[in-house]
Amino acid sequence: MDFETAVKLNIYETIAETTKIPSASAVARALDSSVAAVEEAFQRLGAQRLLVLEPGGASGIRMAPPFSAIETPFLVRVVGRGYYANCVWDAYGVSAALHRDARIVSSDGLTGEPLELMVQGGKPLPRPYVGHFAVPAAHWWDDIVAT
Amino acid sequence: MLLFRSEETVNGWCEKQGVPRRPILSLEQLWFLAVAWYANRLTVDSRRPAPNEMVAIFSKLGLEGSFWDPRADEWSSPPQRASMIETAGSWGILRIPPGGGKPGKG
């Protein structure tokens, strides 16, 4: 396994276990590597759009899709743990990535009314709710945080 | 992309934001996309779908046209309510051959 893949796996395994996206220094300690080498791997993974780094050249990770490093309106409860997702697509993505059923605590984008989604037996329970794609696919990465 | 109780609250949000209404997806469609994008994300060979693969995934849901094409220079298709034509299985995984495509927009 190459170093970049090891970094990627460490990031996602850490998230799965702790619900938190690790820092470059934490990944470096786990892999017995240098922070600089891990930061370079972060950059390469960002170029592949597997990570979204914090703006301004910082070494932190804002998104390891479908997971978010910050609190969002998409809290995904899985076996007693709570993960934040980047959007409603990613909220289901957390369940899909972990291969676990989930309860998603979210809200209506206009009214703020609490809305709950469920994944049971590997499938979403029917709800009349909908998702709205405001940005064309070609422009998602113009500002992926806003998307 | 945001979650809404109904198409009515989508319309209200678009009006409030001053933006046109664009495609609305059912939860079943969103689940299909979630499985296609993320079911193998914790594995060694995970990667994002390439642009041509994205188009194929969207097409399976009836999501076609330039709005859903990450390679499009511009888009002009009117907003549409896509219909669900296929439901993702439980933990189905999108199989992408190693080196089968480069990451791109989307």
Side-chain angles (χ1 to χ4, degrees), chain A residues 21-43:
Chain A
I21 296 178
S23 65
S25 58
V27 175
R29 284 193 301 274
L31 299 180
D32 194 21
S33 180
S34 70
V35 173
V38 170
E39 288 177 343
E40 289 174 7
F42 281 9
Q43 292 289 338

Side-chain angles (χ1 to χ4, degrees), chain A residues 92 101-104 116-129, chain B residues 26-28 31:
Chain A
Y92 274 148
D101 290 347
R103 180 169 67 91
I104 298 164
E116 184 176 280
L117 308 178
M118 298 288 292
V119 178
Q120 286 188 358
K123 293 183 178 179
L125 293 187
R127 294 283 190 276
Y129 312 147
Chain B
S26 69
L27 298 184
E28 290 78 10
W31 173 253

Side-chain angles (χ1 to χ4, degrees), chain B residues 3-79:
Chain B
L3 176 67
F4 295 90
R5 165 171 283 285
S6 65
E7 294 191 31
E8 285 67 34
T9 59
V10 173
N11 294 337
W13 181 85
C14 292
E15 186 175 339
K16 183 178 180 181
Q17 299 293 322
V19 299
R21 182 175 131 163
R22 290 175 176 165
I24 290 174
L25 269 65
S26 69
L27 298 184
E28 290 78 10
Q29 289 174 306
L30 290 169
W31 173 253
F32 184 97
L33 295 180
V35 171
W37 248 252
Y38 295 121
N40 68 349
R41 189 53 60 101
L42 274 66
T43 64
V44 171
D45 58 353
S46 66
R47 64 171 178 79
R48 300 183 73 253
N52 62 316
E53 294 163 339
M54 294 180 191
V55 171
I57 293 166
F58 293 139
S59 180
K60 287 182 179 179
L61 292 172
L63 306 175
E64 296 179 325
S66 59
F67 187 95
W68 296 103
D69 189 345
R71 303 160 300 190
D73 291 329
E74 58 183 336
W75 65 280
S76 57
S77 299

Side-chain angles (χ1 to χ4, degrees), chain A residues 43-114:
Chain A
Q43 292 289 338
R44 292 194 296 273
L45 291 166
Q48 297 170 41
R49 295 178 173 173
L50 285 169
L51 299 177
V52 178
L53 304 184
E54 291 287 2
S59 63
I61 299 170
R62 175 67 173 271
M63 299 177 180
F67 303 96
S68 169
I70 63 171
E71 293 187 11
T72 70
F74 305 95
L75 174 60
V76 185
R77 297 274 186 198
V78 178
V79 289
R81 293 174 175 161
Y83 303 85
Y84 283 102
N86 301 298
C87 64
V88 61
W89 176 354
D90 283 4
Y92 274 148
V94 169
S95 175
L98 297 174
H99 292 213
R100 295 283 188 178
D101 290 347
R103 180 169 67 91
I104 298 164
V105 181
S106 187
S107 58
D108 182 280
L110 175 67
T111 67
E113 174 192 357

